[in-house]
Amino acid sequence: MRSVACLLTLVVSTVLGQTVVPPSTWNYTYPWPVKYHNLTSQRLNLSMAYMDVAPTSYATNKTIVLLHGKNFCGATWEDTARRLSTHGYRVIVPDQIGFCKSSKPPAYQFSLQQLAFNTNSLLQSLDIAQVKVLGHSMGSMLATRFTLMYPDVTSHLILTNPIGLEDWKALGVPWRPIDLLYADELKTNYTTIRNYQQATYYVNTWKPEYDVWVNMLVSLYHLPVEGPTFAYNMALTTDAVLTQPVTYEFGLVKAKTLLLIGTKDNTAIGKAWSPPAVQAKLGNYSVLGRETAAKIPGAELVEFTDLGHAPQVQDSERYHEALFEWLDRVG
């Protein structure tokens, strides 16, 4: 296992006392041109990759931001972004710092607040004053935090199988040191990713088209220089989502809110290293979706009783039918 100290050798240069961390060298093909928002954060000069997808059929003067999950990238929103674009939306699809085509800092204090701040910085650079925010998995947890931090910016909040609907720590998940989380991440390979996604995302089914997202993620861990840094960033992100619950603040959300929940989902951070009695209590989305919808004022809930953690992939037509019915109706 490579040490954290080795990761610090990935620093490229220092300008006026600030470390410059360039965009990723990862060459995975994205469906639209990738642009970069440069920002200074935690004494680091970073580049945040994003796609800016224009409306293709007609313009509504509405903008929506799509926030990816921990095991995903902006590119995984391609299907949704194309549909929104043809529906008249301008679609902003960022890769968060530490992920995919964005800078991967060798040392960074990951927090939902920091990622939300970075996302808002991107929107400010594009002169976007108000948005709808759609997140999936960790991206939904981030979308919730963004909405809480920037209520005047967020008009609508759409949560797709969010993590963070329960406080895993309070339910008994033991804290795991970052060094051990990093060691776990370094063991990641095609088999571990597929087995996890098959059990959690797709309700123990598998289609060949799911492999593209597995292989995309595997390629990040196997980057010759950035791979260990990416793995370390993922360990830091796991610690952030485990220790920074949003579940206690759902009642403060002011945006119009839709929850899209595949109830076969069983995702829970820390479940893998928890005692069996704790594992049995975690990740019951048939209950968590309804509890969360009841906490958010005026929220609507759509449940997919036969789908798992990634309903937008597992049954794209049904998922997007529900999404657009709500968007068209609530305005």
Side-chain angles (χ1 to χ4, degrees):
M1 182 180 74
R2 303 189 195 186
S3 69
V4 173
C6 282
L7 297 179
L8 299 179
T9 64
L10 297 176
V11 171
V12 176
S13 63
T14 301
V15 178
L16 297 178
Q18 293 175 328
T19 301
V20 178
V21 186
S24 177
T25 58
W26 188 51
N27 62 1
Y28 185 88
T29 301
Y30 273 30
W32 292 278
V34 177
K35 302 178 181 181
Y36 292 93
H37 169 55
N38 296 321
L39 67 156
T40 300
S41 175
Q42 301 181 26
R43 302 185 71 229
L44 300 171
N45 291 327
L46 305 171
S47 295
M48 186 175 182
Y50 69 97
M51 293 176 285
D52 188 348
V53 186
T56 56
S57 56
Y58 61 95
T60 61
N61 294 319
K62 296 178 182 178
T63 302
I64 189 165
V65 178
L66 308 184
L67 300 178
H68 63 77
K70 181 178 182 293
N71 295 326
F72 295 90
C73 299
T76 56
W77 279 119
E78 178 179 1
D79 183 22
T80 300
R82 289 193 187 280
R83 293 169 186 263
L84 286 162
S85 175
T86 59
H87 217 72
Y89 282 87
R90 180 184 182 183
V91 189
I92 307 298
V93 193
D95 283 344
Q96 295 299 323
I97 293 298
F99 291 78
C100 309
K101 289 187 179 291
S102 291
S103 296
K104 298 175 182 62
Y108 198 66
Q109 186 183 32
F110 280 90
S111 68
L112 296 169
Q113 287 87 345
Q114 180 69 71
L115 298 183
F117 181 89
N118 296 347
T119 302
N120 191 55
S121 174
L122 167 62
L123 296 178
Q124 288 179 327
S125 75
L126 299 173
D127 294 321
I128 297 173
Q130 192 171 69
V131 293
K132 297 176 173 66
V133 181
L134 166 57
H136 169 239
S137 190
M138 185 199 77
S140 279
M141 197 175 185
L142 172 57
T144 303
R145 180 57 62 199
F146 182 95
T147 301
L148 291 166
M149 289 175 65
Y150 305 106
D152 294 334
V153 176
T154 312
S155 63
H156 299 62
L157 174 64
I158 305 115
L159 304 176
T160 303
N161 279 80
I163 62 172
L165 301 186
E166 55 191 340
D167 184 344
W168 305 293
K169 298 185 289 80
L171 292 171
V173 172
W175 180 75
R176 191 163 176 81
I178 289 172
D179 290 332
L180 292 182
L181 294 175
Y182 176 51
D184 293 341
E185 294 287 350
L186 288 175
K187 298 174 186 175
T188 300
N189 56 42
Y190 172 87
T191 300
T192 62
I193 294 173
R194 171 170 168 165
N195 287 346
Y196 176 74
Q197 293 192 1
Q198 187 168 354
T200 304
Y201 294 7
Y202 307 117
V203 200
N204 291 313
T205 63
W206 195 259
K207 297 179 181 178
E209 54 264 35
Y210 300 158
D211 270 326
V212 65
W213 307 127
V214 176
N215 289 323
M216 179 193 71
L217 187 56
V218 170
S219 69
L220 284 160
Y221 285 96
H222 289 175
L223 286 169
V225 176
E226 295 175 292
T229 310
F230 175 73
Y232 189 59
N233 287 170
M234 294 304 96
L236 295 175
T237 305
T238 296
D239 181 74
V241 299
L242 179 62
T243 59
Q244 299 166 24
V246 296
T247 184
Y248 303 113
E249 298 170 75
F250 282 126
L252 303 176
V253 171
K254 294 182 172 60
K256 299 176 183 177
T257 301
L258 171 68
L259 289 95
L260 297 162
I261 303 292
T263 63
K264 294 293 186 182
D265 191 3
N266 55 29
T267 302
I269 302 300
K271 190 174 185 178
W273 66 79
S274 294
V278 174
Q279 292 180 359
K281 296 188 292 184
L282 305 178
N284 185 353
Y285 275 75
S286 62
V287 173
L288 291 171
R290 297 179 185 185
E291 288 181 347
T292 304
K295 292 176 184 177
I296 301 174
E300 296 188 37
L301 170 67
V302 175
E303 293 182 311
F304 306 103
T305 58
D306 57 335
L307 303 182
H309 186 65
Q312 76 279 19
V313 177
Q314 192 178 5
D315 194 333
S316 175
E317 293 302 323
R318 196 155 31 124
Y319 171 86
H320 288 101
E321 180 181 359
L323 172 63
F324 284 112
E325 188 281 329
W326 185 80
L327 286 173
D328 292 342
R329 175 165 48 84
V330 302

